[in-house]
Amino acid sequence: MKGEIVFNKKLSDKYYYMKIKSPDFVINAKPGQFFMLKTQNFDYLVDPLLRRPFGICDIDNDCFTLLYILIGKGTYLLSNLHPGTIISFSIPLGNPFTIVKNSKVALIGGGVGIAPLLFLAKTLKSNNNFITLYYGGKTKDDIHLIEEFEKYCDNILISTEDGSIGSKGVITDLIKNFDYDIVYSCGPKPMMKAVINLFKNKVSKIEVSLDERMACGLGACLGCIVYLKDGEKIVQKRCCIEGPVFDGYKIVWEH
């Protein structure tokens, strides 16, 4: 698929926010899905060879957005693309979050892992849910899109490890209420593991979105294997096909 870049905003030294116009993409997009994006737009270049996976951050009419962080050549090239550029990407991929109705829900995100929770928050609000957002980062430079989340979340709690915005500490320090019907989380694995341990036996369902290295996004390369509990067994699942959203209680975090 192809779309036109509407904007490519620099939010901080390492965070960028991009909007792409593509009516065909947004028709089938669901919260929690991802897509594989070609980070350079010159047909005669083959470096980087592989597309990069990104979560769908939000849907706005016939456009979708992504939040990304500079971590290598691919995202560096992406950060230099200008509005009007035609860019190539896959259809929406992977399994989405479960959407509940008339419930109390908690969204727990860390760093760039906050990205897929915005589209989720918007969808949950349209289904009459009461939403609390817990958002953590290392510094204030890791906290973004708060004004967007305020449109959909009833409560927002923020923490940073250095105390530069919100409370000082990690985000799980702020979780005192466990009266939720479902919890959704995306972010660093240590954070999500801590969330699982904190809510264990207190909330019946937790869904997590995993950010594994994906080369193909189609399940062929087996490069994004995650390990899940299946009764007494431990089974392998492909994050790109069976995920990226999983039952948090089934994840084997030590693998």
Side-chain angles (χ1 to χ4, degrees):
M1 304 184 74
K2 292 184 181 294
E4 179 182 346
I5 296 177
V6 178
F7 63 67
N8 192 16
K9 297 179 180 178
K10 183 177 182 180
L11 302 180
S12 65
D13 287 343
K14 57 182 180 178
Y15 283 85
Y16 284 76
Y17 189 48
M18 179 183 286
K19 175 182 276 191
I20 301 172
K21 183 176 181 179
S22 177
D24 292 337
F25 182 93
V26 303
I27 288 174
N28 297 312
K30 297 179 177 63
Q33 290 187 302
F34 71 99
F35 58 97
M36 303 295 291
L37 178 67
K38 185 178 180 181
T39 57
Q40 48 86 6
N41 65 323
F42 300 103
D43 292 335
Y44 55 85
L45 293 179
V46 293
D47 184 25
L49 176 63
L50 300 176
R51 297 187 177 196
R52 301 293 191 265
F54 294 97
I56 302 171
C57 185
D58 195 14
I59 294 294
D60 180 20
N61 294 321
D62 57 358
C63 300
F64 68 97
T65 64
L66 60 142
L67 178 71
Y68 65 98
I69 187 170
L70 295 182
I71 56 174
K73 180 181 291 185
T75 47
Y76 173 77
L77 290 171
L78 197 62
S79 70
N80 284 279
L81 298 180
H82 300 290
T85 301
I86 302 301
I87 195 166
S88 176
F89 44 86
S90 71
I91 62 172
L93 301 170
N95 289 317
F97 288 110
T98 300
I99 303 301
V100 297
K101 297 181 179 180
N102 306 310
S103 300
K104 292 181 65 175
V105 305
L107 311 182
I108 306 173
V112 75
I114 199 70
L117 300 185
L118 179 56
F119 187 18
L120 175 62
K122 177 186 286 188
T123 306
L124 289 171
K125 178 51 64 176
S126 68
N127 282 275
N128 197 38
N129 293 287
F130 187 91
I131 304 168
T132 299
L133 172 67
Y134 298 89
Y135 186 2
K138 290 186 176 180
T139 74
K140 63 181 180 181
D141 292 331
D142 294 301
I143 306 297
H144 300 288
L145 306 179
I146 294 301
E147 291 184 359
E148 295 299 315
F149 276 100
E150 287 176 340
K151 300 175 184 177
Y152 315 112
C153 297
D154 301 281
N155 292 321
I156 297 179
L157 294 89
I158 298 171
S159 73
T160 48
E161 293 180 18
D162 66 352
S164 54
I165 186 173
S167 300
K168 185 175 183 179
V170 296
I171 194 59
T172 48
D173 293 339
L174 297 183
I175 301 175
K176 309 298 182 183
N177 178 26
F178 301 96
D179 183 24
Y180 298 110
D181 298 297
I182 185 171
V183 174
Y184 306 89
S185 185
C186 184
K189 282 187 176 180
M191 183 208 77
M192 290 192 288
K193 180 181 178 181
V195 167
I196 297 300
N197 291 333
L198 190 63
F199 279 94
K200 191 174 183 179
N201 299 322
K202 298 173 183 175
V203 173
S204 61
K205 188 169 186 178
I206 297 181
E207 291 191 344
V208 298
S209 176
L210 299 185
D211 182 19
E212 298 294 324
R213 290 184 177 272
M214 298 181 189
C216 70
L218 301 173
C221 69
L222 304 181
C224 60
I225 293 296
V226 297
Y227 295 84
L228 302 181
K229 302 169 189 173
D230 183 12
E232 298 298 320
K233 301 184 297 182
I234 294 178
V235 297
Q236 296 182 351
K237 298 291 183 179
R238 298 161 295 179
C239 188
C240 63
I241 299 296
E242 285 84 22
V245 176
F246 292 97
D247 180 342
Y249 289 131
K250 293 184 178 182
I251 301 292
V252 180
W253 297 99
E254 291 73 23
H255 259 280

